[in-house]
Amino acid sequence: MDDELKNFLREIPKMDSLLSLPWVADAIESIGRDAARHTLEEVIAELRRSARDGTADLSVPPREQLEDRMRAAMDLRSSSSLRKVINATGVVVHTNLGRSALPKSALDAIARVSAGYSNLEYDLARGERGQRNSHVEWLVGQLSGAEASVVVNNNAAAVLLALSAVARGREVIVSAGELVEIGGSFRIPDILAFSGAKSVVVGCTNRTHPKDYIGAITDDTAMILKVHPSNYRVLGFTEEVPRAELAKIAHDRGLIFMEDLGSGLIEPIGMKGIGEEPTVRECIEQGVDLVTFSGDKLLGGPQMGVIAGRRDLIDRMRKDQIMRAMRVDKMTLAAFEEIMRLYLQGRSGEIPTVAMLRADRDELEARAVRLREMIACSCAHVPSLEVEVAEADDAVGGGSYPATALPGWGVAVTMRGGVSPEAIAARLRAEEPAVIGGIRDGAIIFHVRTLVDGDDRHIADALARILRA
Ligand SMILES: *Cc1c(COP(=O)(O)O)cnc(C)c1O
């Protein structure tokens, strides 16, 4: 070890001498003595590490560096970790950014039932214990045509519960082309194994025929499973068995036909040129016995999963032990009920996800022009800034329509001379609320499709603040 490093490490003050310093006292006041001490220990360890691996500047005294690092750590620790973010990426169902924004009426519903007690599991008419699921089952039925339904934590849970309740210990036939992985940790073969069902894989990646399914059926078969390929597409020489035909194959032989639909489209989105996504109702009408879908993808509601379909099968799920471990909270139910009522009343345009997907190009262009004006105005003091309206490719996200870009509009911001878009993007992420945009050809792009009211003002002000500094 060289002398400079040795000296530096020796100069790092002892914990006891640090605890009485003013900047540590501030930390103690804001998060308490124990948590401040633990944070300080981490900061010291981190400084030692960075000195040893050569990333710390050894010419700055350790005490000063500790103070800077401690202040940064405290800024993080003494404010909320889960924060509001402005989504200027143009990806509508953005899983990393919380998927679906909820409408005001759903937030009101959450507040109404959560600030105090509610009839979550209480039958007010009879004055006795009721069913948590009863609040939304009728609505799901109206909007999908399904006889019965249960709701759980997310769609992954829905698939697991459904398989476990009706196919545990028996065979489930699934096409090789549908053994997908979604979001890293949800893999169809693993979920099948975990549920206790035995998977029987038929067909090839690109083609599966009726005879493949029929040939695989044995006395031990419980189910034919169809899975929405979500985040990928096989193009070219492909073939899958149509839903209605699979339903007939299953029903003629007394088997259950289940589909993991993923997105949970309640009504057609009606976007031109972006292909077909089946609605939940179409699945039920074409003979699917059980359909599972997410609450927070194309449906536009809270994180949740729904299993809808045949009453006798759904009743088996209600009794399954796993159900208890997957039940949803009152806040989720309140938001979901409200969203489903908006669909029922023909007011789906008030659901932000749905509105963002349907936004037409002229409207988006007009919004981009407005945002450009706001930025140009608030950043008039920065002559090296170029602000332009630009066409931009948006995306549905959430594993839906992976191969289709949504044509959209945005505002491209470039700094001539030195400042990289990455550096500006990093500063925007540190704003409150944080702003996440895209980067293309040396510019930051703010896609307007995914902005909500007031976001454009905040983006313009944040940029002005950053560029002034
Ligand atoms: C997204 C998706 C899932 C997982 O749903 P979560 O609600 O995220 O748990 C499962 N299956 C399919 C086909 C999906 O698209």
Side-chain angles (χ1 to χ4, degrees):
M1 212 190 308
D2 66 23
D3 285 348
E4 194 189 15
L5 176 57
K6 240 186 249 168
N7 284 335
F8 184 87
L9 290 175
R10 202 177 303 126
E11 275 176 43
I12 293 180
K14 291 277 166 301
M15 176 65 76
D16 287 343
S17 72
L18 289 168
L19 285 174
S20 56
L21 291 173
W23 50 269
V24 180
D26 291 348
I28 291 171
E29 185 160 325
S30 105
I31 59 171
R33 192 172 184 87
D34 286 347
R37 175 195 281 275
H38 294 148
T39 307
L40 199 48
E41 279 164 2
E42 285 168 35
V43 167
I44 293 172
E46 168 62 27
L47 182 62
R48 284 217 172 85
R49 238 191 333 270
S50 61
R52 288 212 173 84
D53 69 20
T55 52
D57 180 355
L58 300 187
S59 66
V60 180
R63 181 175 297 237
E64 263 174 48
Q65 295 201 42
L66 277 181
E67 177 169 354
D68 289 347
R69 286 167 191 248
M70 186 68 177
R71 287 203 188 280
M74 286 306 303
D75 280 349
L76 275 181
R77 297 248 157 114
S78 52
S79 52
S80 299
S81 170
L82 194 54
R83 288 163 52 197
K84 177 178 157 67
V85 162
I86 289 178
N87 176 8
T89 65
V91 180
V92 178
V93 182
H94 198 309
T95 298
N96 300 149
L97 302 184
R99 284 201 183 153
S100 282
L102 298 176
K104 169 89 171 42
S105 58
L107 302 178
D108 291 344
I110 293 172
R112 226 167 24 241
V113 300
S114 311
Y117 296 102
S118 66
N119 65 336
L120 179 63
E121 285 188 1
Y122 190 81
D123 185 330
L124 289 170
R126 297 185 186 184
E128 58 189 41
R129 192 184 165 159
Q131 285 285 328
R132 168 180 304 248
N133 230 20
S134 64
H135 305 290
V136 294
E137 192 169 2
W138 178 79
L139 283 164
V140 173
Q142 286 301 300
L143 292 165
S144 68
E147 282 176 4
S149 63
V150 285
V151 294
V152 290
N153 240 317
N154 52 26
N155 187 35
V159 176
L160 181 60
L161 171 61
L163 289 172
S164 161
V166 303
R168 188 184 293 136
R170 310 221 12 228
E171 289 172 2
V172 171
I173 303 177
V174 58
S175 160
E178 298 176 357
L179 292 179
V180 293
E181 173 182 300
I182 293 146
S185 53
F186 180 86
R187 313 177 95 190
I188 291 293
D190 297 348
I191 294 280
L192 273 160
F194 194 60
S195 74
K198 289 177 241 168
S199 50
V200 176
V201 179
V202 297
C204 295
T205 304
N206 56 334
R207 308 194 94 195
T208 305
H209 307 278
K211 64 174 191 293
D212 296 327
Y213 286 97
I214 292 166
I217 294 170
T218 70
D219 289 346
D220 226 13
T221 307
M223 173 192 285
I224 292 179
L225 173 65
K226 180 174 172 61
V227 181
H228 191 288
S230 285
N231 48 9
Y232 94 117
R233 288 286 174 279
V234 180
L235 301 174
F237 186 57
T238 66
E239 187 166 332
E240 63 173 337
V241 183
R243 185 176 289 110
E245 192 172 346
L246 267 185
K248 182 156 187 342
I249 291 171
H251 295 159
D252 284 351
R253 293 160 182 81
L255 305 179
I256 298 164
F257 177 37
M258 169 164 142
E259 178 162 355
D260 174 15
L261 184 59
S263 269
L265 195 62
I266 296 297
E267 37 186 62
I269 298 174
M271 281 178 298
K272 279 196 275 310
I274 117 156
E276 295 291 312
E277 182 85 12
T279 62
V280 179
R281 183 182 291 280
E282 279 163 1
C283 292
I284 300 280
E285 283 173 357
Q286 290 170 18
V288 179
D289 299 309
L290 290 171
V291 52
T292 65
F293 54 94
S294 288
D296 55 355
K297 289 186 177 172
L298 296 181
L299 194 148
Q303 179 197 301
M304 207 185 58
V306 183
I307 312 169
R310 254 168 58 189
R311 183 173 305 281
D312 60 321
L313 301 176
I314 298 288
D315 282 342
R316 281 159 75 179
M317 288 164 214
R318 288 189 225 277
K319 294 192 199 99
D320 198 289
Q321 283 294 309
I322 290 182
M323 177 72 203
R324 174 63 178 78
M326 295 176 168
R327 72 183 190 188
V328 296
D329 179 59
K330 58 183 176 293
M331 293 188 273
T332 307
L333 275 173
F336 185 65
E337 180 181 3
E338 178 57 28
I339 298 278
M340 293 304 258
R341 286 192 185 284
L342 291 176
Y343 278 111
L344 193 71
Q345 295 164 11
R347 293 164 59 200
S348 58
E350 294 173 34
I351 301 167
T353 300
V354 175
M356 286 173 191
L357 290 170
R358 286 187 189 150
D360 79 23
R361 262 175 72 73
D362 292 345
E363 177 196 331
L364 292 174
E365 186 180 8
R367 282 165 54 190
V369 168
R370 266 202 311 278
L371 176 59
R372 198 210 81 87
E373 288 307 309
M374 272 190 201
I375 294 175
C377 196
S378 69
C379 297
H381 60 291
V382 192
S384 58
L385 199 69
E386 258 172 47
V387 193
E388 283 167 343
V389 168
E391 293 189 46
D393 282 345
D394 299 334
V396 177
S400 323
Y401 306 100
T404 322
L406 290 179
W409 285 92
V411 175
V413 172
T414 324
M415 277 284 272
R416 278 186 307 259
V419 187
S420 71
E422 287 80 8
I424 300 178
R427 298 291 298 274
L428 284 166
R429 291 198 302 275
E431 282 285 315
E432 182 62 52
V435 179
I436 318 278
I439 291 180
R440 186 181 76 190
D441 304 332
I444 296 195
I445 302 203
F446 303 102
H447 300 242
V448 294
R449 183 189 296 273
T450 44
L451 301 183
V452 300
D453 276 353
D455 284 355
D456 44 7
R457 184 73 264 160
H458 177 79
I459 291 173
D461 292 346
L463 264 179
R465 258 193 307 277
I466 289 168
L467 297 176
R468 191 171 292 127

